[in-house]
Amino acid sequence: MIMFGFQNCFMFIILCFLSFLCYYLFVKKPSSSRSGFDDLPPSPPSLPIIGHLHLLLSAPTHKALQKLSSKYGPLFHLLIFNIPMVIVSSASVAYEIFRAHDANISSRGPPPIDDSLFAGSTSFISSPYGDHWKFMKKVLVTKLLGPQALERSRDVRADELERVYARLLDKARKEESVEIIKEVVNLTNNSICRMIMGKSCSEENGEAERARSVASESLALGKKIVLGSLLRARFKHLVMLLIKKEMTVVSNKFDELFERILVEHETKQDGHQETDLMEALLAAYGDDKAGYKITRKHIKTLFADLLFAGTDSSAQAAQWAMAEIIKNPNVLKRLREEIDCLVGQGTRLIHETDLPNLPYLQAVVKEVLRLHPPGTVFGRISQKGFRMGEYYIPEETSFAINVYAIMRDPDLWEDPDEFKPERFLQDSSRTAEEEEAERREPLKYIPFGSGRRGCPGSNLAYVFLGTAVGMMVQGFDWRIEGGDKVSMEETVLGLSLTMAHPPKFIPVARTARPLISKCSKPKDSCVDFDLPPSSPSLPIIGHLHLLLSSLTHRSLQKLSSKYGSLLYLRIFSSPIVLVSSASVAYEIFRAHDVNISSRGFPPTEASLFAGSFSFISAPYGEYMKFMKKVLVTNLLGPQALKRSRRVRADELDRFYDNLFEKAVKKETVEIFEEVLKLVNDSICKLIMGRCCPEEEDVVERVKGLAIELDVSSKKILLANLLPPWLKKLVLSLFKKEVKAISNSFDELLEKILAEHEEKQGENHQGKDLMDVLLAAYGEYKITRNHIKSFYVDLLFAGVTNSALPIQWTLAEIINSTNSLERLRVELDSVVGTTRLIQETDLPNLPYLQAVVKEGLRLHPPEPMFERFSQEGCRVGGFYVPEKTSIMVNAYAVMRDPNYWADPDEFKPERFLVAWQEEERREQALKYISFGSGRRGCPGENLAHIFIGTAVGVMVQGFEWRFKEEKVKMEEAVAGLSLTMAHPLKCTPVARTLNPLTSRGSF
């Protein structure tokens, strides 16, 4: 009896202890939490003790939460034991959270295990939002994931894509089945390993396989770690103890792998590093004065995070993509047609530089990520309490954003569960209001998260997914093993959304011969590698004599009529490809625009013109994009042109008054001189703002320097086409000439800049272009020479490119009495005979617009323009090697008889035809008076305004008399510009007794 009583007493004590423990762990609220509030978001019924934990353990969690949101609303809360969690399931709520509370929810709570390389205290992924996280993200974006870094590592990914293609081709020959996810994991893992660790981690030495194995183990632990992180600190430690052994094993494997690679890397250092990321991290590790001091463990942990986050997400999406594409034959057909049309069928392998020109492939990728996001739910933690509408969110509340539910929200997506890539294609029939509404739709597409903690590697993921899917569609047909249908049933592995029944496909090669890589080319020479045809050349100098002819554009046009519209020329040993037809120009700018968006190296480093500071000769990159943005925003864009309309109207009045005065005196006018003054004075005032010199001699000096530059430009262009050893020699011959012009500009612009800086403190309405550039002088790290060079470029390009076409167009009008009469009738009808034409009239003068376009078609300001291929590519069935100068003969393209009826005749009526949308796009690439593509002239709209208003004034206000029966239209080339061999001189006769008045609305 005593023993029995003792046992009962002991059991009672144990029961009390366990009850107290359960209360302490599961029920008791944290002392710091806010109690007593009744305005939490709604919540579904919960179970005793565990709360809603069973919902997070259900498979799949995202669908269970999506179902709950349909009943309890887009914002509801759960309890995991006694720990609060808020679930967000709509785009509008997500938008409000990230718009108003992004900084507050930019952390992910304390790390689950402090000393682990994976999800530990040194982890970038689980790091709180602070100095460490910001430093690491900056390094990642700058050295690995930003646009320039991705461009530098492009060859690595192309090499790995080619490896995967070769493996699939081998399996196709053996008729073996393929697991898509394994092949794409090889692609992403090997690429990331080489991008972050260089040659130290490759397939050959086995390190890539070891990294892949450890990354797979870490993925399996992902969901356990996330669930453990959601628990209270006291219980989390208990749960983490259960998986600590697994985490330690994975962490030790990562540590061993990365330590070996770091040691090997350090021992091989010889003044440079193999990768930008490794270089930056080791530099920060060894620098005691670095902005943020990192340890060796930080470096290893970052590598572990990159492998964990980067390897699986793209591979899972690629598997989903191929399943959706094979399941939808219409999508497969359309996608394959697009790739074959752009890349070519049976020629070369798709490359990531093709992606911007493959809109349907991009749409397919986006639609796959919408339906099957890599992570279906992502978490955040609130640092402070805040209100969301009528609800209160307490501090230290976990947030779960249900990405899966948001991107299948039927209120935002039509047929949300259907695979329809077309939804991501730009609809040309949409109104401006519909496009604006589309832009304002908040956060409905967030496959990689959003806000400060959104995935910084989303661009890389798009590249991996686009090239992998593109390669598999381009290179192979696919049969399902066993002939079954593809099952789209979902499951969650770790944190990733994957297929419950991954299909096995058998690849069937579409071509007898393997596709070659875009970058593949002969190692020793480009000769006999399927190059475009070439005309006979001279010994040593090659085809240099053709470029030295007085009318180069015509001699090359004649050559192309004999040897073809795509010609391969040679200047000494430097290759040049000549384009002379609209169809070839269309293909180049449609398919290879990014590749040819640079102009080679600057000819003269120290010069303000065509030097290393020049906007015109700058490579296609961040500097060019920044300066172009400044230019469009502050000078050449629609809003900027509207703001500066008064300046041009005043100069147009002066132009008219000067002609009227000459008409009264019956003096002969040299048209080019008059319009040159109009354009030069206008541009000076537009770009120099309030500090534009008022003295006539200073403005005249600017005009004179611009003309001198135009004369020197052809020499500089020709020198730039020569081999480097010869280019230096040739440039030295007229270095003094270029330097004198550069120094004159430097002296003039320095005075204007200094004067502008002195006046910056004064009160002025708005900012002019110089204000913006001087602000960027400290912000974007552009130098004073960048600003001066930018102004030289604008004066050079703007003055002659508008003045010359005005002279040509007036000459064509005078020679065509019918055109002159029709244009004058239109002007008198729309503008009247009392006031002067203004640029606001131009949209209502279609025939004047057609006259301007036809004048530019026949007489483009620059008959030829140059580009430079960064990589080898195929055009019109021929191979164009990398680092090849591409000369586009705009003169020949716009007189191509295959595209233009009566190409040498002045017929403005051809531009009055209403074009269909597809025809309009083709029209845009056969009408290239100001170039085309990314490097097309950004001042085209301004040039059309200058030409339209100047021609309008001369036709509206005057009759024109000249000695000859007809104007002589012989051509000459001054510098790079197409001008008249016999400049137009005629006498104006005013059509009205009294001068016309200016009544433009401003």
Side-chain angles (χ1 to χ4, degrees):
M1 288 293 290
I2 295 174
M3 179 62 71
F4 180 75
F6 175 77
Q7 288 176 342
N8 283 343
C9 182
F10 180 75
M11 292 296 293
F12 178 74
I13 292 170
I14 294 295
L15 184 61
C16 288
F17 174 76
L18 290 175
S19 299
F20 173 77
L21 184 64
C22 287
Y23 168 78
Y24 186 72
L25 289 176
F26 307 140
V27 180
K28 183 177 180 291
K29 293 182 179 180
S31 58
S32 60
S33 66
R34 182 181 188 268
S35 57
F37 48 80
D38 300 319
D39 47 359
L40 283 171
S43 178
S46 61
L47 297 178
I49 301 178
I50 67 170
H52 301 94
L53 179 63
H54 59 293
L55 297 177
L56 299 186
L57 297 176
S58 63
T61 305
H62 57 279
K63 285 198 169 183
L65 295 178
Q66 182 187 29
K67 188 175 180 181
L68 282 172
S69 70
S70 64
K71 184 174 182 180
Y72 294 98
L75 187 72
F76 61 94
H77 89 275
L78 305 175
L79 283 175
I80 309 302
F81 293 99
N82 64 334
I83 303 302
M85 173 183 283
V86 169
I87 311 298
V88 177
S89 302
S90 82
S92 57
V93 176
Y95 174 75
E96 179 63 25
I97 288 175
F98 285 110
R99 184 184 63 83
H101 309 288
D102 188 28
N104 186 24
I105 63 164
S106 285
S107 290
R108 289 187 169 131
I113 296 183
D114 281 340
D115 57 350
S116 171
L117 276 188
F118 176 64
S121 59
T122 53
S123 169
F124 169 69
I125 290 178
S126 58
S127 173
Y129 180 69
D131 290 340
H132 167 241
W133 184 86
K134 291 177 184 176
F135 172 79
M136 286 301 202
K137 183 175 181 181
K138 181 180 178 181
V139 172
L140 271 180
V141 171
T142 308
K143 304 299 181 183
L144 185 73
L145 301 174
Q148 289 185 323
L150 288 177
E151 188 173 341
R152 290 192 294 270
S153 59
R154 189 179 287 159
D155 288 348
V156 169
R157 294 186 296 279
D159 186 38
E160 292 301 328
L161 185 71
E162 203 168 1
R163 286 173 186 262
V164 175
Y165 171 72
R167 280 198 300 270
L168 291 176
L169 195 62
D170 182 59
K171 289 184 181 285
R173 288 167 179 161
K174 297 175 181 177
E175 298 186 0
E176 293 179 358
S177 62
V178 170
E179 289 185 52
I180 296 292
I181 191 166
K182 287 185 178 180
E183 298 301 329
V184 184
V185 162
N186 283 339
L187 168 66
T188 56
N189 180 81
N190 292 359
S191 298
I192 290 173
C193 282
R194 287 178 60 187
M195 287 166 64
I196 65 178
M197 290 175 270
K199 296 177 182 176
S200 301
C201 187
S202 66
E203 198 72 40
E204 286 77 7
N205 62 16
E207 297 289 21
E209 175 58 35
R210 280 188 282 275
R212 194 157 56 242
S213 174
V214 182
S216 298
E217 292 180 48
S218 66
L219 286 166
L221 280 170
K223 190 171 184 179
K224 300 176 186 177
I225 293 172
V226 170
L227 287 175
S229 299
L230 296 175
L231 303 177
R232 284 221 7 221
R234 304 177 187 91
F235 192 61
K236 179 170 72 176
H237 293 317
L238 180 62
V239 173
M240 287 300 169
L241 283 174
L242 302 177
I243 60 171
K244 185 174 182 180
K245 185 177 179 181
E246 289 179 78
M247 290 187 67
T248 303
V249 170
V250 173
S251 178
N252 289 342
K253 287 181 179 179
F254 270 131
D255 187 67
E256 180 186 346
L257 172 67
F258 297 141
E259 180 62 30
R260 187 165 59 248
I261 289 171
L262 282 173
V263 169
E264 182 181 346
H265 187 87
E266 289 169 321
T267 57
K268 287 182 177 179
Q269 286 183 11
D270 55 358
H272 67 279
Q273 306 293 339
E274 292 178 347
T275 72
D276 289 341
L277 181 63
M278 185 84 79
E279 178 181 0
L281 291 173
L282 285 174
Y285 168 58
D287 185 3
D288 293 331
K289 297 180 180 179
Y292 184 87
K293 182 61 179 173
I294 63 172
T295 66
R296 204 172 183 85
K297 193 172 182 180
H298 280 113
I299 299 176
K300 296 175 187 176
T301 304
L302 182 64
F303 289 170
D305 289 343
L306 290 172
L307 287 173
F308 168 74
T311 298
D312 189 62
S313 57
S314 298
Q316 295 288 357
Q319 180 175 247
W320 281 113
M322 291 306 296
E324 291 283 10
I325 290 168
I326 291 170
K327 187 182 174 186
N328 293 272
N330 291 335
V331 172
L332 175 61
K333 181 182 177 183
R334 181 172 178 179
L335 180 57
R336 186 167 280 162
E337 286 175 353
E338 179 183 71
I339 295 173
D340 288 347
C341 177
L342 176 76
V343 182
Q345 186 173 2
T347 54
R348 69 167 176 87
L349 197 60
I350 187 175
H351 191 264
E352 62 187 67
T353 54
D354 296 315
L355 296 181
N357 301 307
L358 294 166
Y360 194 66
L361 174 58
Q362 294 179 59
V364 167
V365 168
K366 288 180 179 178
E367 180 70 347
V368 167
L369 290 169
R370 182 189 71 81
L371 284 173
H372 313 287
T376 54
V377 179
F378 63 87
R380 298 285 188 271
I381 288 185
S382 63
Q383 303 298 303
K384 300 176 182 178
F386 63 92
R387 297 203 71 84
M388 274 287 299
E390 59 185 299
Y391 302 118
Y392 180 80
I393 311 298
E395 65 180 0
E396 296 183 6
T397 296
S398 295
F399 274 84
I401 315 293
N402 193 343
V403 176
Y404 183 94
I406 288 173
M407 294 198 293
R408 297 195 182 213
D409 186 342
D411 294 332
L412 294 174
W413 301 93
E414 184 180 352
D415 300 324
D417 297 321
E418 299 296 317
F419 183 72
K420 292 183 175 181
E422 291 75 14
R423 72 177 87 238
F424 287 101
L425 292 176
Q426 185 69 33
D427 184 0
S428 59
S429 65
R430 290 193 305 177
T431 64
E433 291 77 11
E434 289 172 329
E435 289 182 0
E436 181 64 23
E438 175 74 17
R439 282 193 293 271
R440 289 182 177 179
E441 283 184 352
L443 292 178
K444 71 173 190 175
Y445 181 75
I446 49 174
F448 295 102
S450 187
R452 290 168 171 82
R453 293 304 285 253
C455 176
S458 57
N459 287 341
L460 179 59
Y462 280 115
V463 168
F464 278 141
L465 194 50
T467 52
V469 171
M471 176 269 292
M472 290 187 283
V473 169
Q474 178 197 14
F476 304 94
D477 288 311
W478 296 88
R479 296 201 311 262
I480 304 172
E481 189 178 48
D484 298 329
K485 290 185 177 180
V486 178
S487 170
M488 304 301 285
E489 187 179 343
E490 301 170 345
T491 188
V492 176
L493 179 63
L495 297 176
S496 300
L497 182 66
T498 188
M499 301 183 75
H501 308 287
K504 289 188 176 182
F505 298 110
I506 300 172
V508 180
R510 294 181 65 218
T511 57
R513 297 174 59 188
L515 302 175
I516 62 168
S517 170
K518 181 175 184 177
C519 299
S520 297
K521 62 182 187 300
K523 302 294 181 185
D524 52 346
S525 170
C526 292
V527 180
D528 297 329
F529 192 65
D530 209 13
L531 293 171
S534 181
S535 64
S537 61
L538 297 177
I540 303 177
I541 67 169
H543 300 90
L544 179 61
H545 59 291
L546 298 176
L547 300 186
L548 296 177
S549 62
S550 58
L551 294 175
T552 308
H553 58 285
R554 287 205 167 188
S555 61
L556 294 180
Q557 181 189 31
K558 187 177 179 182
L559 200 66
S560 68
S561 65
K562 183 176 182 181
Y563 293 98
S565 56
L566 190 68
L567 280 177
Y568 182 82
L569 306 178
R570 178 176 57 84
I571 309 300
F572 291 91
S573 59
S574 297
I576 295 178
V577 167
L578 177 68
V579 177
S580 302
S581 79
S583 59
V584 178
Y586 177 78
E587 181 181 350
I588 284 180
F589 287 109
R590 185 179 63 86
H592 308 290
D593 188 28
V594 175
N595 185 27
I596 63 165
S597 286
S598 289
R599 288 185 167 132
F601 300 102
T604 54
E605 286 289 332
S607 172
L608 285 185
F609 175 68
S612 57
F613 306 108
S614 171
F615 169 68
I616 290 178
S617 58
Y620 180 69
E622 293 304 313
Y623 171 67
M624 197 217 81
K625 292 177 186 176
F626 171 77
M627 292 303 255
K628 185 174 181 180
K629 181 180 178 181
V630 169
L631 193 59
V632 170
T633 306
N634 297 280
L635 185 69
L636 301 175
Q639 295 302 318
L641 289 174
K642 187 175 181 180
R643 290 192 298 269
S644 60
R645 192 180 287 159
R646 176 76 263 174
V647 172
R648 294 186 296 279
D650 288 344
E651 293 303 321
L652 193 68
D653 283 347
R654 290 192 183 95
F655 173 67
Y656 171 75
D657 291 343
N658 192 37
L659 291 179
F660 193 86
E661 184 181 346
K662 300 230 177 198
V664 171
K665 296 178 179 178
K666 298 182 180 180
E667 293 179 2
T668 300
V669 172
E670 192 166 335
I671 298 297
F672 179 68
E673 289 299 320
E674 295 299 326
V675 296
L676 186 63
K677 179 175 172 55
L678 163 67
V679 176
N680 178 75
D681 291 3
S682 298
I683 289 178
C684 281
K685 290 183 179 178
L686 289 173
I687 66 176
M688 295 179 192
R690 58 183 176 270
C691 289
C692 180
E694 294 295 332
E695 300 88 349
E696 188 68 25
D697 62 322
V698 178
V699 178
E700 283 296 312
R701 188 180 170 200
V702 171
K703 183 175 72 175
L705 288 171
I707 293 172
E708 287 182 50
L709 268 186
D710 193 37
V711 173
S712 300
S713 58
K714 186 172 183 179
K715 302 174 187 176
I716 294 174
L717 175 64
L718 287 174
N720 208 33
L721 297 174
L722 301 175
W725 61 270
L726 187 58
K727 179 167 73 173
K728 291 182 180 179
L729 176 63
V730 172
L731 285 172
S732 66
L733 299 177
F734 53 92
K735 183 178 181 180
K736 186 177 179 181
E737 175 187 339
V738 174
K739 189 174 181 181
I741 299 172
S742 179
N743 289 343
S744 297
F745 266 122
D746 186 67
E747 180 186 347
L748 174 67
L749 291 169
E750 181 57 41
K751 287 181 181 177
I752 294 171
L753 276 172
E755 184 182 345
H756 202 94
E757 287 172 316
E758 289 175 9
K759 293 183 178 181
Q760 275 189 315
E762 301 173 10
N763 291 325
H764 301 283
Q765 278 193 341
K767 289 185 176 181
D768 57 26
L769 179 63
M770 197 166 279
D771 283 322
V772 176
L773 290 171
L774 285 171
Y777 175 42
E779 175 188 339
Y780 192 79
K781 303 303 180 188
I782 63 172
T783 66
R784 213 167 180 83
N785 276 342
H786 281 112
I787 298 176
K788 294 175 190 175
S789 184
F790 190 51
Y791 274 79
V792 173
D793 289 341
L794 293 176
L795 290 166
F796 163 71
V799 173
T800 55
N801 281 2
S802 298
L804 288 168
I806 295 172
Q807 179 181 229
W808 278 113
T809 305
L810 184 63
E812 290 284 7
I813 293 169
I814 292 173
N815 279 348
S816 175
T817 53
N818 290 337
S819 296
L820 176 60
E821 185 61 31
R822 180 170 178 179
L823 179 56
R824 189 163 278 157
V825 167
E826 180 182 72
L827 284 164
D828 290 348
S829 172
V830 174
V831 182
T833 57
T834 56
R835 70 169 178 89
L836 199 61
I837 182 178
Q838 295 295 328
E839 60 188 70
T840 49
D841 297 314
L842 295 180
N844 303 313
L845 296 165
Y847 193 69
L848 174 58
Q849 293 180 58
V851 164
V852 170
K853 288 181 180 178
E854 181 70 346
L856 288 166
R857 181 188 72 82
L858 285 172
H859 313 286
E862 293 183 7
M864 303 181 69
F865 57 89
E866 182 200 13
R867 297 288 186 269
F868 191 79
S869 66
Q870 302 296 309
E871 299 172 345
C873 59
R874 284 197 166 267
V875 178
F878 298 106
Y879 182 76
V880 177
E882 66 176 2
K883 297 180 181 177
T884 296
S885 293
I886 297 174
M887 298 292 295
V888 181
N889 192 342
Y891 183 94
V893 168
M894 294 193 292
R895 296 193 182 214
D896 185 344
N898 294 319
Y899 283 82
W900 303 93
D902 302 321
D904 296 320
E905 299 296 320
F906 182 75
K907 291 185 175 181
E909 292 75 13
R910 72 175 88 239
F911 287 100
L912 295 176
V913 179
W915 297 87
Q916 296 298 321
E917 188 60 35
E918 183 62 30
E919 291 173 324
R920 188 176 288 111
R921 283 196 292 270
E922 291 187 15
Q923 172 82 351
L925 282 169
K926 69 178 183 178
Y927 178 75
I928 51 174
S929 51
F930 291 96
S932 187
R934 288 165 172 79
R935 291 306 285 256
C937 176
E940 182 175 354
N941 289 339
L942 180 59
H944 277 277
I945 288 172
F946 279 138
I947 301 167
T949 51
V951 169
V953 163
M954 290 188 288
V955 171
Q956 180 196 15
F958 306 94
E959 304 281 357
W960 294 92
R961 293 177 182 167
F962 51 98
K963 296 178 181 179
E964 307 292 334
E965 186 178 340
K966 280 204 167 189
V967 179
K968 294 179 180 179
M969 304 298 285
E970 284 86 357
E971 299 171 346
V973 175
L976 297 177
S977 303
L978 184 63
T979 187
M980 299 182 74
H982 309 285
L984 181 59
K985 295 180 181 180
C986 41
T987 305
V989 178
R991 294 181 64 218
T992 58
L993 292 175
N994 297 315
L996 300 175
T997 60
S998 172
R999 293 180 185 169
S1001 57
F1002 307 102

